[in-house]
Amino acid sequence: MSDHSELGHIRPWRHIERRKSRQIMVGSVPVGGDAPISVQSMTNTPTTDAAATLEQIRQLEEAGADIVRVSCPDEESTAAFRTIAREARVPLVADIHFHYKRGIEAAQAGAACLRINPGNIGSIERVKEVVQAARDHGCSMRIGVNAGSLEKELLEKYGEPCPDAMVESALNHARILQDLDFHEFKISVKASDPFLTVAAYQQLADAIDCPLHLGVTEAGPLRTGTIKSAIGMGNMLWSGIGDTIRVSLAADPVEEIKVGFDILKSLGLRHRGVNIIACPSCARQGFNVIETVGILEERLAHVSTAMSLSIIGCVVNGPGEALYTDIGFTGGGKGAGMVYLNGKIAHKQANEGMIDEIVAQVEAKAAELDAARAAAIALNAAE
């Protein structure tokens, strides 16, 4: 019940046909092809403060980040990056702008990927040096085009940032790498306007087969930025475009990872943690739904196993929702409700103690699913 992507064969309206892209590696993480869509964020601590940056990376790792980007604006930052890369448990992308030597230093320091625009770092000889450093140290690259920093000549040609300008910029940068016989790259074409973002990615997806890194850049604060990102990236992911994503929020970077996984979970593209289905509550509720869900989100944040949980205030929709979730609780009035396990009635539960009971059931289900998955892996290995 926890993996709704498996239902595509009987519910074709749930099926997403992903764009065919070639696969590259960002350290140990495959990006593109049939690899899972990876979720990224970026540190906002001073990179020169290695301890603070590593602490933030640890928090992102705990939240489920597959890849983390770290800015390397100066020589002191790339020096600290060596320590950071050695201690991080996820692949790191070094964010490089303008100075080619930072790219070389970051590759030497352990970057898994360089976020760079070849056209911004000077002569072709300098680009060759960065590409050679990437080859020597097993780095991939991301060409990152932003509507807010398009080349002057493209703005003069098109009059304003537009999909054609962004895609032309991306393909021009890609051609530089292709001419150097370097193909381990992905591309992003981000804008703060979701309309512009989606149109640019749609055009780029038809023009090149490399993996695409999705994002609505500078999306804004937590709530509005989440909505804007969900609209823009959700549109693209639903149509099969996108191999790795970053939700750009003016908020704690951990929130970017949470929102990223929530977007992917909503589309059945990735499954991590407990997916809580809850009613908005009304006068029929047999317990305080909103307060209960808020507490459960905190109490279940440590569970990374994919599963579904329905918390419904009354019997109008509760039993029906519980049929399709791993665990369910439905309010029934008179200070008690019903617990459902695997879609079937399990037992009555008083509202008092309900949260502890649900947490215990979720943890038990997580252990059961983890054990079954481990057994399946062991069986496959033995065969």
Side-chain angles (χ1 to χ4, degrees):
M1 286 186 186
S2 57
D3 189 354
H4 292 287
S5 63
E6 295 176 354
L7 300 177
H9 66 294
I10 58 172
R11 296 175 185 160
W13 34 266
R14 290 187 60 92
H15 182 65
I16 292 176
E17 186 70 36
R18 286 181 62 188
R19 163 184 170 269
K20 298 291 188 293
S21 63
R22 69 172 186 267
Q23 189 173 99
I24 68 169
M25 297 298 294
V26 177
S28 59
V29 176
V31 175
D34 59 357
I37 296 170
S38 52
V39 180
Q40 305 188 27
S41 183
M42 185 174 183
T43 57
N44 58 21
T45 53
T47 305
T48 50
D49 188 341
T53 302
L54 272 167
E55 174 56 30
Q56 193 167 72
I57 290 171
R58 290 280 180 266
Q59 294 171 13
L60 293 168
E61 290 169 344
E62 289 298 317
D66 299 298
I67 300 168
V68 175
R69 182 156 46 115
V70 178
S71 185
C72 292
D74 48 44
E75 193 172 356
E76 292 76 19
S77 295
T78 50
F81 187 87
R82 184 178 297 276
T83 299
I84 296 164
R86 187 170 58 244
E87 298 294 329
R89 294 191 289 264
V90 294
L92 301 185
V93 177
D95 197 62
I96 308 296
H97 289 280
F98 304 118
H99 208 301
Y100 79 105
K101 286 188 177 179
R102 302 295 84 80
I104 295 170
E105 292 162 1
Q108 295 170 342
C113 180
L114 305 177
R115 190 276 193 190
I116 201 165
N117 278 350
N120 287 350
I121 58 174
S123 68
I124 190 63
E125 292 306 315
R126 290 182 173 182
V127 176
K128 284 181 179 178
E129 287 189 54
V130 176
V131 167
Q132 189 58 52
R135 278 202 181 97
D136 290 344
H137 298 280
C139 288
S140 55
M141 290 189 180
R142 171 160 75 93
I143 296 169
V145 175
N146 278 353
S149 57
L150 281 172
E151 296 92 321
K152 182 180 178 181
E153 58 269 24
L154 289 175
L155 289 175
E156 290 175 352
K157 176 180 178 179
Y158 291 99
E160 65 174 3
C162 64
D164 286 345
M166 294 176 69
V167 172
E168 184 171 333
S169 174
L171 295 179
N172 286 342
H173 291 310
R175 198 169 297 113
I176 295 171
L177 297 183
Q178 291 167 332
D179 288 346
L180 294 171
D181 198 27
F182 188 88
H183 306 282
E184 296 298 301
F185 64 85
K186 52 186 172 165
I187 300 180
S188 63
V189 282
K190 299 182 182 181
S192 58
D193 174 1
F195 289 92
L196 175 54
T197 300
V198 171
Y201 274 106
Q202 288 172 334
Q203 188 172 323
L204 182 63
D206 291 334
I208 196 167
D209 71 343
C210 70
L212 299 184
H213 169 114
L214 298 192
V216 178
T217 195
E218 298 149 0
L222 179 57
R223 183 173 61 85
T224 55
T226 293
I227 293 168
K228 188 184 290 188
S229 297
I231 291 170
M233 284 196 281
N235 186 305
M236 293 182 282
L237 291 165
W238 201 325
S239 66
I241 295 172
D243 302 288
T244 183
I245 68 172
R246 190 259 173 117
V247 180
S248 298
L249 300 175
D252 185 332
V254 169
E255 296 296 335
E256 297 186 349
I257 298 299
K258 292 179 180 177
V259 172
F261 272 105
D262 285 342
I263 291 172
L264 293 176
K265 283 196 291 187
S266 296
L267 293 168
L269 291 168
R270 279 288 293 272
H271 300 280
R272 185 184 191 278
V274 183
N275 181 28
I276 301 179
I277 297 164
C279 69
S281 80
C282 69
R284 294 192 305 269
Q285 65 180 351
F287 60 97
N288 190 321
V289 174
I290 294 172
E291 180 183 5
T292 299
V293 169
I295 295 171
L296 284 171
E297 274 196 310
E298 292 183 8
R299 294 276 303 271
L300 298 175
H302 67 289
V303 178
S304 60
T305 308
M307 71 177 73
S308 53
L309 168 67
S310 58
I311 304 294
I312 309 297
C314 76
V315 295
V316 173
N317 292 323
E321 290 290 355
L323 285 174
Y324 301 100
T325 53
D326 294 302
I327 298 167
F329 183 84
T330 297
K334 297 183 180 179
M338 195 66 68
V339 173
Y340 292 76
L341 301 178
N342 302 315
K344 298 178 180 178
I345 292 176
H347 57 267
K348 196 172 184 179
Q349 170 65 45
N351 290 350
E352 185 178 352
M354 165 185 58
I355 290 175
D356 288 341
E357 170 65 10
I358 292 171
V359 170
Q361 292 291 349
V362 167
E363 290 176 338
K365 185 66 177 180
E368 175 192 327
L369 292 170
D370 290 344
R373 191 171 294 113
I377 292 171
L379 181 62
N380 289 335
E383 293 175 349

